[in-house]
């Protein structure tokens, strides 16, 4: 049975500046991503204005996750896009008030479909902190499998943490 999604994925618009600012400057997320410095509104505004929205040019695409009523609930990224090997890394974050409501699961299903049908990727992968049981569960329930542990891969400013590489073959 094909069920209608509770979310849509769309390109970032100038009106999303405050949302992007909030997510990118949430220091609690810095140890799970590649950024650990705050971004200015100017820098984020410039990113929105100059992004080509072409994954082949930018090697990434950032999408807003919104409920079907148009309310933004988070952001999803496809990064480290490698067209030669037909793979990319995926990241997803939902706002605190919107967690555990199925939005991330629905967004990840849409991302997988987009990666397969539009980008013609062979695989998506995610790198998740080994102690992030919520994210590990999300990816595993969405068809990703654990394939490796990267020892001392993430550093939160005080200690190192192992990371799990999860893959989904499309």
């Amino acid at each position: 049975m094909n069920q209608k999604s509770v979310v849509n994925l769309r390109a970032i618009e100038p009106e999303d500046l405050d949302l992007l600012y909030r997510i990118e400057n949430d220091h609690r997320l810095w140890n799970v991503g590649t950024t650990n410095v705050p971004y200015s509104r100017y820098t984020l505004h410039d990113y929105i204005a100059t992004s080509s929205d072409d994954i082949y040019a930018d090697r990434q695409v950032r999408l807003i996750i919104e409920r079907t009523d148009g309310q933004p609930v988070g952001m999803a990224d496809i990064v480290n896009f490698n067209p030669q090997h037909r793979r990319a890394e995926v990241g997803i974050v939902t706002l605190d008030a919107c967690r555990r409501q199925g939005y991330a699961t629905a967004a990840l299903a849409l991302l997988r479909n987009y990666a397969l049908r539009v980008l013609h990727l062979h695989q998506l992968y995610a790198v998740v902190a080994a102690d992030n049981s919520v994210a590990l569960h999300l990816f595993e329930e969405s068809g990703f499998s654990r394939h490796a542990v990267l020892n001392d891969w993430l550093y939160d400013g005080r200690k190192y943490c192992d990371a799990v590489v999860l893959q989904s073959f499309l």
Side-chain angles (χ1 to χ4, degrees), residues 134-154:
V134 173
L136 291 169
H137 179 75
L138 165 69
F139 282 102
E140 290 177 325
E141 288 295 310
S142 298
F144 286 70
S145 300
R146 295 180 191 216
H147 283 272
V149 173
L150 303 170
N151 295 317
D152 287 351
W153 196 255
L154 302 170

Side-chain angles (χ1 to χ4, degrees), residues 148-167:
V149 173
L150 303 170
N151 295 317
D152 287 351
W153 196 255
L154 302 170
Y155 183 67
D156 68 3
R158 295 182 318 273
K159 64 180 177 18
Y160 285 94
C161 174
D162 294 350
V164 178
V165 177
L166 300 109
Q167 293 173 286

Side-chain angles (χ1 to χ4, degrees), residues 59-70:
R59 296 290 191 241
Q60 69 175 0
V61 63
R62 306 186 89 186
L63 302 164
I64 298 299
I65 305 167
E66 65 180 14
R67 296 188 318 218
T68 54
D69 66 2

Side-chain angles (χ1 to χ4, degrees), residues 27-33 35-36 129 131 154-157 159:
H27 64 87
R28 296 171 302 160
L29 302 174
W30 289 353
N31 65 324
V32 298
T35 300
N36 61 359
D131 62 357
L154 302 170
Y155 183 67
D156 68 3
K159 64 180 177 18

Side-chain angles (χ1 to χ4, degrees), residues 10 24 52 75 82-83 91 95 102 108 127-128 139 147 157 160 162:
R10 64 165 175 78
E24 292 293 350
S52 70
M75 193 167 59
N82 187 315
L95 299 173
L108 200 48
V127 179
V128 177
F139 282 102
H147 283 272
Y160 285 94
D162 294 350

